[in-house]
Amino acid sequence: MKELIIPSKLNEGDKVAFISISGGRAGDEDMLPRYKLGKRRFEKIFNVEVVETPNALKGSEYLYEHPEKRGEDLMWALKDDSIKGIICNQGGDDSYRVLPYIDPQVIHDNPKVFMGFSDIATWMAVFTYAGVRAYYGPTVLTPIAQPGKLDEYTEEAIRRTLFSNEVIGVIKPSEKNTPIDWTTTYTIEGVQYERFPDNDEIEDLKDPIPWEDGTGYKVLQGSGKVRGHVIPVCGGPLWQIMGTKFFPDPDVWEDSIIAMEHCSIYGSKLAGLHELRAFAAAGIFDKAKAVITGPMDDESRETILKVMHKEIHRPDMVIMENVDYIHRTPMTVLPVGALMEIDCDAPGIEILEPGVT
């Protein structure tokens, strides 16, 4: 793939913008306390100043009706020289509607850290089109504002990817994980507590988070070591921009490690199969080196192996599952285009370059 401009690292004291470029739930009344916790938590842990983009907290209904305002917010944050990084408040499902209102040249001319996941996969492709590295990783509402506290795994991933220009190195599997929890209260011995009170605290160690032991990486097929540049993919969002100029060109997929969150999407095995077939038809797997995924159930494993073996004839393709970049806590950070090595025998993952300059 073409060489991407790598943004400068974030430093203590920097100004970071929080943006709602996809869904607008951060500004909704019921979600605003969670957003405020995420803001003060990020400020205190990383010692930065957080500002909202002009429309970030205008709510989900307003931002759905005004995709142009989401585009204006991105352009505003990029053009403001005092802002050193941009972090998405959440994902969503309609980033494609914002594309007519952005100028890729502005992205190219103002390279900055830009991070998010889920529907933000659309913006990973847009930044790649503009020639700038973006970062597939935590958003504000989750996992930065997760109940309890910001877990050490996610915090460390943010620090060494965005706040350090040293080689990222080994990405260990998380020792524990938990589903995303959107509830606003918890109960202990019959007493109910608010999860996001209006105070200055950034953690609540009494919060009974249902952590489960991690199970490590699992190699579904392949052997030995393989290297490639990592390209994060969340299927639905990228599916929506097929046929646009922003869908990655064939050279992006060549020698890539595709980080694809594959499952039976929308609870449908058939939908998951169709998603894989759409990407297969677009040729993304033809010259890729490997695929990494989150955890898969037996149905999803059966689907991806069927496509790889019988339809695109890639039984040689390395497939590793249970990597921590998906819709659960904790999360690592994947810098788009960074050189990654997969060791099927260990098994293990390593990023062989810094995330930022």
Side-chain angles (χ1 to χ4, degrees):
M1 64 180 296
K2 66 181 180 181
E3 186 173 350
L4 299 177
I5 299 171
I6 300 176
S8 298
K9 72 183 183 77
L10 297 179
N11 298 292
E12 291 190 358
D14 279 351
K15 184 186 292 186
V16 177
F18 283 1
I19 189 171
S20 297
I21 200 165
S22 181
R25 290 282 284 131
D28 290 347
E29 184 177 358
D30 65 325
M31 198 63 66
L32 196 55
R34 183 173 183 135
Y35 168 81
K36 290 179 178 179
L37 170 66
K39 177 180 179 178
R40 66 177 178 265
R41 184 180 281 176
F42 197 84
E43 286 185 322
K44 289 185 178 182
I45 290 175
F46 298 105
N47 193 22
V48 296
E49 176 189 356
V50 170
V51 297
E52 294 86 17
T53 58
N55 298 286
L57 299 182
K58 289 189 175 178
S60 53
E61 182 177 353
Y62 179 86
L63 289 178
Y64 174 76
E65 293 176 351
H66 295 281
E68 76 280 1
K69 296 299 182 182
R70 293 184 258 165
E72 289 175 10
D73 275 10
L74 179 60
M75 298 296 100
W76 175 86
L78 290 168
K79 291 177 180 179
D80 187 333
D81 291 338
S82 71
I83 293 173
K84 305 305 180 183
I86 306 167
I87 297 178
C88 297
N89 284 328
Q90 67 165 105
D93 60 13
D94 76 335
S95 282
Y96 84 96
R97 298 176 61 231
V98 184
L99 301 184
Y101 307 107
I102 58 106
D103 181 355
Q105 192 64 44
V106 174
I107 299 173
H108 178 274
D109 293 345
N110 301 274
K112 297 179 182 182
V113 163
F114 176 92
M115 183 171 72
F117 77 103
S118 192
D119 191 49
I120 308 305
T122 298
W123 297 99
M124 302 295 110
V126 170
F127 272 65
T128 299
Y129 175 85
V132 177
R133 170 176 288 174
Y135 303 83
Y136 196 84
T139 59
V140 178
L141 294 183
T142 183
I144 293 171
Q146 64 186 296
K149 59 173 290 187
L150 180 60
D151 67 276
E152 293 84 358
Y153 186 96
T154 302
E155 179 183 340
E156 174 61 20
I158 293 171
R159 284 194 187 281
R160 66 174 171 167
T161 307
L162 305 184
F163 286 82
S164 170
N165 54 12
E166 296 182 2
V167 171
I168 294 171
V170 174
I171 306 295
K172 295 180 179 179
S174 63
E175 296 181 355
K176 59 181 182 178
N177 58 73
T178 188
I180 296 172
D181 188 343
W182 293 109
T183 57
T184 59
T185 63
Y186 65 89
T187 301
I188 299 178
E189 297 181 348
V191 179
Q192 189 176 77
Y193 299 88
E194 293 293 325
R195 278 209 155 113
F196 309 105
D198 187 12
N199 57 34
D200 292 330
E201 300 299 320
I202 64 169
E203 62 182 38
D204 181 356
L205 300 183
K206 302 190 308 295
D207 201 327
I209 309 302
W211 291 103
E212 299 179 359
D213 290 339
T215 56
Y217 300 141
K218 178 180 179 180
V219 177
L220 194 56
Q221 67 176 36
S223 60
K225 294 182 178 180
V226 62
R227 290 185 178 185
H229 53 270
V230 63
I231 303 296
V233 171
C234 189
L238 218 60
W239 205 351
Q240 292 179 25
I241 65 169
M242 280 185 174
T244 73
K245 65 183 181 181
F246 297 110
F247 188 79
D249 291 332
D251 73 295
V252 173
W253 306 110
E254 187 171 357
D255 296 329
S256 66
I257 293 176
I258 302 172
M260 173 173 287
E261 187 165 356
H262 169 66
C263 59
S264 297
I265 56 175
Y266 315 122
S268 167
K269 177 181 177 180
L270 186 60
L273 176 60
H274 286 175
E275 176 188 88
L276 284 173
R277 283 174 168 168
F279 289 125
I284 78 169
F285 301 119
D286 291 351
K287 295 183 179 180
K289 292 291 188 68
V291 172
I292 59 175
T293 76
M296 292 190 289
D297 56 23
D298 289 341
E299 200 172 65
S300 297
R301 293 187 192 101
E302 177 186 340
T303 300
I304 197 169
L305 288 174
K306 174 181 178 178
V307 172
M308 293 296 174
H309 285 227
K310 297 182 179 297
E311 300 185 12
I312 63 173
H313 309 294
R314 288 297 308 272
D316 60 309
M317 175 84 77
V318 168
I319 304 176
M320 177 183 283
E321 66 169 293
N322 207 34
V323 182
D324 299 290
Y325 67 94
I326 60 151
H327 287 67
R328 69 177 183 186
T329 301
M331 284 189 74
T332 193
V333 182
L334 299 178
V336 176
L339 184 62
M340 174 183 282
E341 180 175 87
I342 296 175
D343 185 346
C344 295
D345 300 327
I349 294 175
E350 187 172 358
I351 295 181
L352 305 174
E353 60 181 87
V356 287
T357 58

